Amino acid sequence: MRDFPLFPDQASTFATQVDQLYFFLVALSLIFAGVLPFVILYLIVRYHRSQKVDRSNPVNSNLKLELTWTIIPLILVMLVFFWGAFLYVQIRTPPMRTLDVYVIGKQWMWHVQHPNGKRENNELHVPIGQPVKLIMTSQDVIHSFYIPAFRVKQDVLPGRYTVMWFQATKPGEYHLFCAEYCGTEHSLMIGRVVALPLADYERWLATPGPVILPDGSIDTGRPTVVASPGDPMAAAGAQLFTNLGCAGCHAMAGGGVGPSLKGLYGATEKLNDGSTVTADENYLRESILNPNAKIVAGYAPVMPSYQGQISEDQLNQLIAYIKSLADTGN
Ligand code: CUA
């Protein structure tokens, strides 16, 4: 059976929980599919018109029986519903403190950038025992990031971020698939996830290596060895922030034409229509690409759009920079 695995490894904190629910559903289906046909067959034979059985007193209703076959299935499906909903909410809600990794899907490869600037293609290195959050977007069509051994799958869409999180539990190499048909080479849009003990992961993270960037150019391994993770990607964003002239309006001390971005990430922003919004990655993204969609209360809609002027890669760096200005420790 070793070479014919029916089930992938259980390598994340979700894996056993998802499997338990799955096996419960299979068992439930087997019980009903296995028992009911025999009951039907028995009744077909027993009450065939050739059989001499007592038909003088046909049953028109039986309240007890009807309640039984209503209440028992109701309990079973409600159990499945709440069990599934509980798991779903857990899988969809990343914890506050996570290791954030940026993923860009494109026809037909996965491009990954770590907070310290390290990049990789069709591979994702993660530490075990740490919650990891993937912030994902696509450069072209819809893809889907799927790690069977972690029991997580999430669509990756152009024009917005989707988020997925997991905590690996077992060192090893696992399959990475694109699970959404995305064109000719969809089936080749595969890779591997390497889960490492924390120390090995940190050593790997600090080792520079050449990599193909999303625009096709080759990154020959810029220095990535740094004291604190979170720096270089944010630093690239800070450089962009300066080059694009953002600081001209978004003065850190406040009082500029635009709001200060200090402490913005994760905060609740008041908008000029009276509503509020949580400043997450998608809000930051929208505010850069389509600044007039949500105007912070007290400011005028004067910011130009940066749609088409910066790549997905640069957008990720800008957002990493803005996130680094927050003091949530994220
Ligand atoms: Cu990307 Cu299928």
Side-chain angles (χ1 to χ4, degrees):
M1 284 304 273
R2 283 220 138 235
D3 295 330
F4 182 61
L6 276 176
F7 287 90
D9 276 324
Q10 294 180 326
S12 82
T13 49
F14 299 139
T16 32
Q17 288 172 281
V18 170
D19 287 358
Q20 279 163 0
L21 175 58
Y22 179 75
F23 287 128
F24 180 78
L25 285 169
V26 171
L28 211 57
S29 310
L30 281 180
I31 291 167
F32 279 96
V35 171
L36 288 185
F38 290 103
V39 177
I40 293 169
L41 273 177
Y42 167 76
L43 293 174
I44 287 173
V45 176
R46 172 119 166 79
Y47 289 95
H48 189 262
R49 64 179 167 184
S50 66
Q51 298 286 335
K52 298 219 181 326
V53 284
D54 176 18
R55 300 177 202 270
S56 63
N57 187 22
V59 180
N60 286 319
S61 75
N62 184 328
L63 189 63
K64 255 191 213 159
L65 186 64
E66 285 174 25
L67 282 178
T68 308
W69 79 45
T70 305
I71 291 172
I72 290 178
L74 181 71
I75 291 173
L76 288 173
V77 294
M78 289 317 268
L79 177 68
V80 170
F81 170 74
F82 283 108
W83 189 350
F86 175 76
L87 245 178
Y88 179 78
V89 168
Q90 252 194 313
I91 291 175
R92 295 297 306 160
T93 318
M96 271 309 286
R97 283 169 170 274
T98 49
L99 179 81
D100 292 0
V101 179
Y102 289 83
V103 174
I104 298 173
K106 57 174 268 185
Q107 290 167 319
W108 288 274
M109 57 172 270
W110 294 108
H111 183 80
V112 174
Q113 187 167 19
H114 294 264
N116 81 337
K118 175 124 179 171
R119 299 163 180 279
E120 47 186 339
N121 288 330
N122 297 327
E123 285 197 357
L124 171 65
H125 286 70
V126 292
I128 57 169
Q130 298 267 322
V132 175
K133 183 166 91 176
L134 305 184
I135 299 152
M136 309 187 288
T137 190
S138 164
Q139 242 175 245
D140 35 54
V141 300
I142 300 177
H143 304 276
S144 179
F145 202 88
Y146 180 32
I147 312 171
F150 294 175
R151 309 291 190 277
V152 286
K153 182 182 345 182
Q154 172 63 50
D155 274 11
V156 177
L157 310 175
R160 58 176 282 192
Y161 291 112
T162 52
V163 162
M164 170 167 118
W165 85 279
F166 54 79
Q167 181 168 328
T169 50
K170 215 168 85 178
E173 284 184 20
Y174 308 105
H175 286 296
L176 163 63
F177 293 118
C178 177
E180 183 72 50
Y181 180 69
C182 55
T184 321
E185 290 174 32
H186 157 70
S187 62
L188 299 176
M189 197 167 162
I190 54 177
R192 59 182 192 142
V193 175
V194 184
L196 299 166
L198 193 57
D200 293 349
Y201 169 77
E202 278 171 346
R203 199 171 312 125
W204 172 85
L205 200 61
T207 317
V211 121
I212 304 159
L213 300 184
D215 64 5
S217 65
I218 291 179
D219 181 349
T220 48
R222 274 178 273 165
T224 54
V225 188
V226 272
S228 91
D231 281 344
M233 197 170 164
Q239 191 60 52
L240 266 171
F241 196 79
T242 309
N243 294 352
L244 293 169
C246 309
C249 294
H250 295 284
M252 282 309 138
V257 176
S260 164
L261 305 182
K262 203 166 174 57
L264 170 61
Y265 178 70
T268 306
E269 286 285 284
K270 250 190 126 128
L271 303 181
N272 64 356
D273 64 357
S275 63
T276 57
V277 65
T278 304
D280 58 7
E281 285 92 357
N282 268 316
Y283 169 74
L284 299 181
R285 176 192 181 91
E286 180 183 58
S287 298
I288 295 168
L289 298 180
N290 184 14
N292 293 341
K294 295 188 176 75
I295 301 293
V296 176
Y299 291 91
V302 292
M303 177 172 157
S305 164
Y306 287 84
Q307 185 90 52
Q309 300 191 39
I310 50 178
S311 66
E312 287 294 347
D313 209 32
Q314 291 174 317
L315 198 51
N316 283 345
Q317 290 166 349
L318 270 179
I319 287 169
Y321 170 62
I322 296 169
K323 285 167 78 172
S324 75
L325 302 171
D327 36 24
T328 56
N330 205 314

